[in-house]
Amino acid sequence: MPELPEVETVREGLERHAVGRTVEAARIVHPRAVRRDPRGPAGFEAAMAGRPFKKAERRGKYLWLTLDDGETLLAHLGMSGQLLIGDPDRPMSPHVRARFTFTDGGPDLRFTDQRTFGHLLLAPLTTDAVATPGEQPSPCMEGSRPPSPLAPGTPRCAPDGKDRHLIGRTDDAASADAAVSAGRAVPVPIAHIAPDPMEGAFDAAKFAARLRRKHTGVKRALLDQSLVSGVGNIYADEALWRAKLHWARPTETLRGPEVSRLLAAVTEVLGEALRAGGTSFDALYVNVNGESGYFDRSLNAYGREGEPCGRCGTPIRRDAFMNRSSYSCPHCQPRPRNAHL
DNA sequence: CGTCCTACCTGGAGGC
DNA sequence: TGCCTCCAGGTAGGAC
């Protein structure tokens, strides 16, 4: 499945092959692909026509293309999503959910997704009151509204600009905690997502403080995208293995050095995966094949039930966790007595 | 409000 | 061979 490194590879591909081009037409082949867009398929198609792709950005596993008027085309690849650029005349695969053609008549962009967990939507950018110098302030600047843009009745930054000024950062420090990060504008629907550990806006001290304030198991916390984004089941297990922490360890009992170890492990695991997964792809293909080279070589815990731990040789254990699996070393990561299951 | 649980979806694997 | 069940995963939104 596309993890953070694959999403970054896709972002780079889009930067290379889609940025600087203008959409001629968008076609939604499967309505579920835009289920989070309040415009619906027809409205989405209409709103995308003639829009330029100016920039390709990413936070965690979300990526977006910046359009004009402070709007973005936001994408999540879910479990099986791909964004492919290629010859516009090639046959349509059965899993194509959306297609974009360009005014230059060149390669088209297709969103394919077998399991349809992924989605696309048009969304305005939030802006931070303390935007970084040099960054263009978007029109959506004033007002103070919590980041729940898709709730029914919530005004959004509409393409016609009518309620554009209702969207912006919230000044409520508590709810803005994760939402607005050091000068970075992000699409409104993901304003509640915390920065991922690979971006400059990530605040290690804040992460540590918020983590220790929680009352849950440490793996649940790692998967909580409002605490830290970009960590999924695989990297959570890998980071916990490195940090020698059991997945059910109560967050409120974590000591300072353990939190530091954990964050270092998360950063290392993601960094290595990025370096391994962000490899080249050929000129007309935005690569997401779901297989990072990293997965084959470097997993120490995930998916390795019964195989010896790379540190101590004890067979890796698999536990049921949140309707899925957790892998850990019974020796290096002993279950705490007061586990948060 | 913080935490927890479930629906969503499809195709591949394995059981019988 | 074929059908059935299970499993994988991230997220939103509702329950508590």
Side-chain angles (χ1 to χ4, degrees):
Chain A
M1 76 242 59
E3 294 276 339
L4 187 148
E6 285 80 15
V7 178
E8 175 58 17
T9 303
V10 175
R11 189 203 64 75
E12 289 168 7
L14 290 172
E15 190 164 71
R16 217 169 300 187
H17 302 297
V19 166
R21 304 174 70 196
T22 297
V23 174
E24 180 175 69
R27 188 174 123 230
I28 297 302
V29 182
H30 193 304
R32 197 174 140 75
V34 289
R35 64 190 177 281
R36 288 186 66 196
D37 195 312
R39 296 167 183 80
F44 177 92
E45 289 174 351
M48 279 304 303
R51 305 299 287 280
F53 287 153
K54 296 183 146 183
K55 239 165 125 181
E57 298 193 71
R58 181 187 61 74
R59 165 165 285 179
K61 297 176 193 173
Y62 279 95
L63 63 87
W64 63 93
L65 287 155
T66 303
L67 313 174
D68 49 2
D69 288 336
E71 278 207 305
T72 64
L73 172 59
L74 177 63
H76 194 290
L77 301 176
M79 304 204 31
S80 53
Q82 296 173 284
L83 286 167
L84 302 169
I85 288 191
D87 185 339
D89 294 326
R90 72 196 187 282
M92 292 280 280
S93 95
H95 299 304
V96 174
R97 309 304 183 196
R99 176 172 184 246
F100 301 85
T101 55
F102 294 88
T103 54
D104 58 18
D108 69 2
L109 171 66
R110 299 180 186 186
F111 175 58
T112 76
D113 189 10
Q114 249 171 36
R115 298 189 194 176
T116 72
F117 269 36
H119 62 271
L120 306 174
L121 75 159
L122 260 156
L125 284 170
T126 59
T127 26
D128 193 305
V130 283
T132 40
E135 210 162 11
Q136 283 296 336
S138 110
C140 307
M141 199 133 179
E142 298 152 22
S144 56
R145 179 167 293 280
S148 54
L150 296 178
T154 303
R156 289 173 293 100
C157 191
D160 64 7
K162 274 197 177 141
D163 49 12
R164 183 162 292 157
H165 294 274
L166 293 176
I167 293 294
R169 63 155 312 189
T170 167
D171 288 315
D172 176 343
S175 68
D177 201 22
V180 180
S181 49
R184 179 144 190 229
V186 300
V188 168
I190 63 163
H192 64 291
I193 303 280
D196 68 59
M198 310 312 291
E199 62 182 298
F202 186 80
D203 184 335
K206 182 186 280 183
F207 167 81
R210 292 185 63 208
L211 176 68
R212 296 171 78 179
R213 235 182 282 136
K214 281 180 153 292
H215 297 272
T216 189
V218 65
K219 182 169 173 180
R220 279 183 192 274
L222 284 181
L223 297 177
D224 177 353
Q225 303 293 298
S226 69
L227 179 67
V228 55
S229 68
V231 181
N233 202 38
I234 296 171
Y235 294 121
D237 280 1
E238 290 302 303
L240 289 167
W241 180 86
R242 285 199 194 207
K244 300 185 185 178
L245 291 169
H246 188 272
W247 53 268
R249 175 70 182 278
T251 47
E252 64 269 32
T253 69
L254 287 170
R255 318 274 290 162
E258 292 175 312
V259 175
S260 303
R261 220 163 70 209
L262 177 60
L263 182 54
V266 170
T267 308
E268 284 167 20
V269 165
L270 289 177
E272 287 171 23
L274 267 176
R275 285 189 289 279
T279 50
S280 65
F281 41 85
D282 70 51
L284 288 186
Y285 185 69
V286 179
N287 181 35
V288 202
N289 57 21
E291 304 296 329
S292 159
Y294 178 82
F295 287 9
D296 302 332
R297 290 192 288 275
S298 306
L299 295 180
N300 286 296
Y302 182 83
R304 298 196 56 218
E305 182 179 18
E307 294 175 45
C309 168
R311 269 190 306 247
C312 73
T314 307
I316 295 293
R317 157 186 65 191
R318 173 182 177 273
D319 295 311
F321 168 79
M322 288 173 85
N323 274 334
R324 36 187 66 90
S325 299
S326 252
Y327 299 89
S328 59
C329 170
H331 178 256
C332 301
Q333 303 166 268
R335 176 190 291 271
R337 276 185 297 278
N338 49 354
H340 268 297
L341 303 175

